[in-house]
Amino acid sequence: MQIVFMNRLSKNSGESPGDFAQLWIGEEEGVWHLGWRDFGENPESADSTWYEGSSWNEMLGGYRHELAVKMGEGYRPLIDGVFHEETAVTGRNQEQMKLQYYSEQHGNEPVYEELCAWRRKRASLEHKAPYLLASNRLLRLLSAYLPQSLEELLQIPGVGEAKAEQYGQELLAITSAAERSHSFPLSWVGKEIEEESFASWLYKQKEIKYKKQLDHLRLRRQLLEGIADGCGLEELTARSQYSRREILEVVEELEKDGYIVDPLIQRELMDMPPGEQEVVWNAYRELGDLFLKPVLHKVYGEDAAPEGGLEMVYERLRLIRIRFRRENSGAAHQ
């Protein structure tokens, strides 16, 4: 096996030099190997294999995730830039991350719960998903820094002019009612943070981020293998433990990236009459393929209650849309 990358990491333990380890990537006959060798006090767990397989992207995803775990435990690399990310963290992003970190350590829980209740009520009134109004992260920031004016509210990351204009007064009615012991602007936050604890928290955020990316890569591989095996949506759901909707979203992504997913489409549309499929196709041609609901109303009526339920119909609409987009994309390039 040829070693193509190696880095040494050390972990300080108080005044002693501490543990050290090696992280390596090797390649042999088209198979990638990713591993960790620990030279610490526990020799029985010295060697760990993190990945073996042919996918560079999946290997890189595993590398980033496992490395973030180790750095969150206190290991630091000899060579910087170990995550091989396309974009570096800017000074502004670093400041915003410190604001987020501080808010998670010093949030006002009663205010946070009140903000969550406001979000649920407002989302219900507007028929929107709650996260579209405000993320949990934003509500944590608001509960920690407790802005009392629109000017202060606009200093909170995630609050822009539009959000402040639409919801500002409602948010301020909650945050300004609580007592606070700090002031704006928030330039003091960085001085209140212990840098090593903040660094470990940053690596935890990377761990969460890379875990999601790795899970997504593994799901793509599972679906491609399942489609090649002739599985339908029911079998793919059982294999992956993801919902049918989540699987269809990834199937759309795979088809867009050039992978063959037509065996799944054929299998799932076997029971749909060809005439009905043609009507759906013509509706896409007339209305466009950006939104599903106008096509649903065009084909089945605005009070649609088709046999099998709306969920099944939406699945079929998505599957036909995959074919429609592929054929129209090909025509556009001729």
Side-chain angles (χ1 to χ4, degrees), residues 255 281 322-334:
E255 199 283 331
W281 189 278
I322 291 174
R323 282 180 169 172
F324 180 85
R325 285 177 169 173
R326 181 177 65 236
E327 293 198 14
N328 282 272
S329 174
H333 289 86
Q334 290 178 356

Side-chain angles (χ1 to χ4, degrees), residues 272 276-284 295 299-300 317 320:
M272 186 177 184
E276 186 178 349
Q277 294 186 41
E278 184 178 358
V279 174
V280 172
W281 189 278
N282 291 333
Y284 279 128
V295 174
V299 176
Y300 301 102
L317 292 180
I320 294 173

Side-chain angles (χ1 to χ4, degrees), residues 255-280:
E255 199 283 331
K256 187 177 180 181
D257 289 343
Y259 292 95
I260 297 174
V261 299
D262 219 51
L264 173 66
I265 298 175
Q266 292 177 358
R267 182 185 179 97
E268 293 298 322
L269 295 180
M270 283 178 56
D271 296 331
M272 186 177 184
E276 186 178 349
Q277 294 186 41
E278 184 178 358
V279 174
V280 172

Side-chain angles (χ1 to χ4, degrees), residues 3-287:
I3 299 298
V4 298
F5 173 81
M6 181 178 289
N7 200 354
R8 173 171 169 149
L9 297 94
S10 60
K11 181 180 181 182
N12 291 330
S13 304
E15 298 180 358
S16 62
D19 300 335
F20 72 94
Q22 285 179 342
L23 170 63
W24 53 269
I25 297 173
E27 187 272 338
E28 184 177 21
E29 298 182 353
V31 176
W32 292 103
H33 301 262
L34 170 66
W36 172 270
R37 174 165 292 178
D38 197 333
F39 295 92
E41 299 178 354
N42 195 10
E44 63 269 18
S45 60
D47 292 303
S48 301
T49 299
W50 289 350
Y51 177 79
E52 284 185 356
S54 59
S55 171
W56 165 262
N57 286 332
E58 194 169 335
M59 186 279 295
L60 185 59
Y63 164 88
R64 287 171 169 165
H65 171 249
E66 296 289 353
L67 180 57
V69 173
K70 292 296 184 182
M71 295 184 74
E73 294 173 357
Y75 282 94
R76 296 295 179 263
L78 179 64
I79 303 173
D80 289 331
V82 291
F83 287 107
H84 302 284
E85 295 177 303
E86 294 180 0
T87 56
V89 177
T90 64
R92 180 174 175 79
N93 287 339
Q94 187 86 342
E95 291 177 6
Q96 292 185 352
M97 295 299 284
K98 286 185 175 182
L99 292 178
Q100 182 188 338
Y101 168 72
Y102 184 90
S103 74
E104 292 186 8
Q105 312 302 313
H106 300 88
N108 184 315
E109 199 62 29
V111 172
Y112 177 74
E113 293 299 329
E114 191 173 353
L115 288 167
C116 289
W118 166 83
R119 181 177 60 179
R120 286 193 297 271
K121 181 178 179 181
R122 173 55 65 182
S124 177
L125 290 172
E126 297 185 13
H127 304 289
K128 293 180 179 179
Y131 71 88
L132 293 176
L133 273 68
S135 65
N136 290 342
R137 178 184 302 175
L138 176 55
L139 298 189
R140 286 287 179 196
L141 288 163
L142 292 170
S143 74
Y145 298 116
L146 302 171
Q148 297 181 359
S149 67
L150 283 175
E151 181 182 2
E152 292 180 353
L153 183 63
L154 287 167
Q155 295 179 47
I156 304 296
V159 178
E161 295 283 352
K163 193 180 293 290
E165 182 177 352
Q166 189 171 9
Y167 304 118
Q169 295 303 326
E170 295 176 34
L171 294 170
L172 289 170
I174 298 172
T175 58
S176 61
E179 292 186 14
R180 73 181 191 194
S181 57
H182 59 263
S183 61
F184 279 73
L186 301 174
S187 54
W188 53 268
V189 172
K191 302 173 185 177
E192 299 291 324
I193 289 174
E194 200 279 309
E195 288 297 332
E196 187 60 31
S197 297
F198 173 63
S200 295
W201 177 84
L202 275 179
Y203 292 127
K204 183 64 178 178
Q205 306 313 299
K206 287 181 180 291
E207 176 188 340
I208 295 170
K209 168 187 170 183
Y210 294 138
K211 181 65 164 60
K212 289 180 180 178
Q213 292 178 356
L214 183 58
D215 287 345
H216 187 72
L217 288 168
R218 287 171 174 167
L219 175 60
R220 284 170 61 102
R221 174 171 51 79
Q222 281 185 318
L223 295 187
L224 288 171
E225 292 172 352
I227 292 171
D229 291 342
C231 294
L233 279 175
E234 196 66 34
E235 295 95 329
L236 293 175
T237 301
R239 282 191 181 193
S240 67
Q241 302 301 311
Y242 283 79
S243 70
R244 294 168 71 97
R245 180 183 177 87
E246 289 170 323
I247 288 173
L248 277 174
E249 288 173 353
V250 178
V251 168
E252 288 178 320
E253 176 187 306
L254 288 169
E255 199 283 331
K256 187 177 180 181
D257 289 343
Y259 292 95
I260 297 174
V261 299
D262 219 51
L264 173 66
I265 298 175
Q266 292 177 358
R267 182 185 179 97
E268 293 298 322
L269 295 180
M270 283 178 56
D271 296 331
M272 186 177 184
E276 186 178 349
Q277 294 186 41
E278 184 178 358
V279 174
V280 172
W281 189 278
N282 291 333
Y284 279 128
R285 184 176 292 145
E286 178 184 344
L287 302 173

Side-chain angles (χ1 to χ4, degrees), residues 291-305:
F291 300 108
L292 295 174
K293 186 173 285 188
V295 174
L296 173 75
H297 290 167
K298 175 74 174 179
V299 176
Y300 301 102
E302 294 197 7
D303 298 322

